Amino acid sequence: WGCARRDPEVIDCLSSLRDSISAVVPLLSKVPFLLTQKFGHPRWYRSNYSSKVRYYVSAVVPETHRQFLSSGIALETPGDDCRLMQWKHGLPRKEIDALWSVVGFMANSNLSPAAKDFKQMIRLISSMVHYNRGILPKVTNRLPPSKKQLDICSKEINWIRILLNLKCPHNQTNGEMDKFVLRLVEKAVTLQSHDINLEEMC
């Protein structure tokens, strides 16, 4: 995902590009859709242009990218080649952290309006939270949580709160969003009760 490198110049360039795109494209509607259904699986490629970098990893097929630049037509990514679909519920924790970086970066644009359709974002966040390596997985072993899990849970719930407050279209009724928030609260309360039981046992 390229989140390891935090070069200020690179971030400035990407921020400028993000803001320009967000002026014409609703990023918080489009980005989750692209991540969950279109973004391909990373593969190794050999560079034909750089003598310093002989091989590199990309989720974009170079030939497909060249065709897009010349024609303006984006080729479809096969559904079975989608990065997140291949992991299914076993999405690694590093991938979840990287996804949060992408979501936070896109949501941080001052030009990005509230998304007209927040369903894709809710589905993406739900996957990040409730998958096996998420803070509140669907399947739990009922053991008391670790302090690290509690800290990360508190942090991510706060991120969700900020995202919903700033970017969610509050004038729309969304049953899927209501279910997500209710489930999030129920899971968080259960996690807190396990932590209280642990403290009482100690």
Side-chain angles (χ1 to χ4, degrees), residues 108-121:
N108 200 39
S109 172
N110 294 328
L111 300 177
S112 182
K116 294 181 180 180
D117 183 1
F118 219 68
K119 290 182 180 179
Q120 293 292 342
M121 177 62 76

Side-chain angles (χ1 to χ4, degrees), residues 8-21:
E9 292 185 8
V10 173
I11 295 298
D12 287 343
C13 290
L14 290 176
S15 297
S16 177
L17 176 62
R18 174 204 61 198
D19 293 342
S20 298
I21 295 175

Side-chain angles (χ1 to χ4, degrees), residues 42-181:
R43 292 181 173 87
W44 283 97
Y45 295 98
R46 183 170 182 172
S47 176
N48 296 323
Y49 303 100
S50 174
S51 59
K52 295 182 179 179
V53 180
R54 296 184 60 187
Y55 297 93
Y56 63 96
V57 176
S58 176
V60 179
V61 179
E63 182 60 31
T64 301
H65 183 59
R66 284 192 290 270
Q67 291 181 18
F68 170 72
L69 293 178
S70 62
S71 66
I73 300 175
L75 299 181
E76 291 292 323
T77 300
D80 57 356
D81 192 48
C82 181
R83 181 188 183 103
L84 296 187
M85 288 184 179
Q86 289 193 357
W87 290 113
K88 297 183 179 179
H89 289 275
L91 188 67
R93 182 66 223 182
K94 287 185 178 180
E95 291 280 324
I96 295 175
D97 292 338
L99 282 171
W100 271 118
S101 297
V102 174
V103 170
F105 180 75
M106 293 301 172
N108 200 39
S109 172
N110 294 328
L111 300 177
S112 182
K116 294 181 180 180
D117 183 1
F118 219 68
K119 290 182 180 179
Q120 293 292 342
M121 177 62 76
I122 290 298
R123 290 171 185 169
L124 175 61
I125 295 176
S126 180
S127 299
M128 293 155 58
V129 170
H130 297 306
Y131 276 4
N132 296 346
R133 302 294 186 274
I135 54 171
L136 299 170
K138 289 183 179 179
V139 180
T140 59
N141 54 16
R142 297 184 178 277
L143 293 176
S146 66
K147 184 179 184 302
K148 183 177 181 181
Q149 182 183 2
L150 291 171
D151 291 342
I152 295 176
C153 181
S154 176
K155 180 172 62 176
E156 290 191 8
I157 288 178
N158 187 50
W159 290 345
I160 294 171
R161 177 189 64 80
I162 293 173
L163 189 62
L164 294 181
N165 284 339
L166 294 180
K167 302 297 183 179
C168 174
H170 296 286
N171 59 341
Q172 296 184 15
T173 301
N174 192 324
E176 189 168 356
M177 185 181 300
D178 294 341
K179 290 179 182 178
F180 166 73
V181 173

